[in-house]
Amino acid sequence: MLLLQKPRNGLSLKALLSIGPIQPLGELPQALVYSRNSKLQATVLSRVLTSLTNSYVFPISLNEFSLFVAPYVEIRRVWAFVDNSDDLLRLNHLVTALGLEAETFGPKGVKSNHQFDDAYQLTSLISTLKAIVERFKDNKRVEAIEQSLDTEGIEEYLTKKKEEIGDREPLVSQVFYPANEYLGIKTAFEEPNSRSVAILTNEADVITVRKRALELRRSGYDVKEVMINVDPAISPIYLLFLYL
């Protein structure tokens, strides 16, 4: 299980959602590169940017990018989420050698273009996401994303969802990937540890999940479906909020 830097030290959910957008944020990327524990930011932002620009902005690990993509594919600009100085150094060597443009994001202590406090995964993701949203105000998708990041009523909503889950083992649909990896939560398509489970789902993939829930019930599992009804692109953020 990957270890999420959880917002302890007094950083509340409302404080996280009150973080402002990155200023300034440069030109949009063709690819989102991530190192070690930064897959969350790259994956969510890839979904958001792809839906807003109608062009696939792919997430890729630094290893894959440096070995198999950058030397062979014509890419000019990337955003890179680097959570340690060694990976930042590797990226800088690659950028210099290939003449790429890279805007870097990292935790305090890593000399990136943008540095973030504790709960680095969430603070960097939310701040960057808000900056992107500001650029696409005329896009209909933006309204749903903004509503999902509104602090009003969110704690009550999450409390209600926790009550719905109760003591059941949580399983998740694919829209919550990769947040479930950070938390050590199985997907709905893996074998549960408990006979009593709650499958967290979203309107985007509820049909697929219901088919799986039926399979589990036929196998003797007690299954409850819990709907997390937010924009599917940012569903992983809500899964993390549930377990802060």
Side-chain angles (χ1 to χ4, degrees):
M1 179 179 75
L2 296 173
L3 296 177
L4 177 70
Q5 295 176 350
K6 295 184 179 180
R8 305 300 180 187
N9 305 317
L11 189 59
S12 67
L13 178 58
K14 286 189 175 180
L16 274 171
L17 289 176
S18 297
I19 293 171
I22 289 175
Q23 297 294 344
L25 183 65
E27 184 182 344
L28 296 179
Q30 295 165 280
L32 291 152
V33 178
Y34 62 88
S35 69
R36 301 189 190 180
N37 293 327
S38 295
K39 186 193 291 187
L40 173 72
Q41 299 97 304
T43 303
V44 173
L45 292 175
S46 167
R47 295 171 183 171
V48 171
L49 283 170
T50 297
S51 68
L52 295 178
T53 64
N54 295 317
S55 178
Y56 183 47
V57 181
F58 61 92
I60 186 169
S61 71
L62 177 58
N63 285 338
E64 290 286 313
F65 183 71
S66 61
L67 292 173
F68 306 115
V69 176
Y72 310 110
V73 180
E74 188 174 342
I75 290 179
R76 182 176 62 84
R77 181 171 179 80
V78 301
W79 288 355
F81 289 84
V82 284
D83 44 56
N84 63 88
S85 296
D86 289 341
D87 281 348
L88 179 61
L89 183 61
R90 289 176 59 203
L91 176 74
N92 286 338
H93 286 326
L94 183 68
V95 166
T96 300
L98 297 179
L100 304 177
E101 296 178 21
E103 190 161 356
T104 55
F105 308 74
K108 286 288 179 64
V110 176
K111 295 181 180 180
S112 51
N113 297 123
H114 306 283
Q115 297 182 37
F116 301 88
D117 292 321
D118 286 344
Y120 151 68
Q121 283 95 341
L122 281 172
T123 55
S124 61
L125 173 53
I126 291 171
S127 185
T128 309
L129 182 57
K130 286 185 175 182
I132 291 170
V133 163
E134 284 191 346
R135 293 192 179 185
F136 291 89
K137 284 293 187 182
D138 295 332
N139 192 299
K140 293 181 180 179
R141 186 75 181 274
V142 163
E143 184 177 352
I145 295 174
E146 286 182 318
Q147 288 176 350
S148 297
L149 296 176
D150 192 341
T151 59
E152 185 176 353
I154 190 170
E155 290 183 335
E156 292 81 2
Y157 179 80
L158 293 170
T159 297
K160 179 181 177 182
K161 294 305 171 181
K162 288 178 183 178
E163 291 172 351
E164 289 183 40
I165 296 167
D167 295 329
R168 296 169 179 267
E169 177 187 356
L171 304 174
V172 299
S173 67
Q174 292 300 314
V175 297
F176 296 99
Y177 172 84
N180 62 300
E181 290 186 347
Y182 285 78
L183 297 166
I185 296 175
K186 291 184 175 183
T187 72
F189 300 93
E190 296 178 273
E191 193 70 20
N193 295 321
S194 171
R195 302 303 293 182
S196 179
V197 300
I199 300 180
L200 280 59
T201 186
N202 182 281
E203 284 185 352
D205 61 0
V206 66
I207 295 176
T208 302
V209 165
R210 284 180 177 165
K211 290 180 180 179
R212 176 56 176 162
L214 180 58
E215 292 175 359
L216 289 171
R217 290 187 181 105
R218 286 173 175 170
S219 298
Y221 289 92
D222 177 16
V223 181
K224 182 177 184 178
E225 296 173 40
V226 177
M227 180 71 70
I228 309 296
N229 199 20
V230 297
D231 187 282
I234 65 169
S235 291
I237 301 176
Y238 266 66
L239 184 64
L240 295 176
F241 286 166
L242 274 172
Y243 291 96
L244 292 179

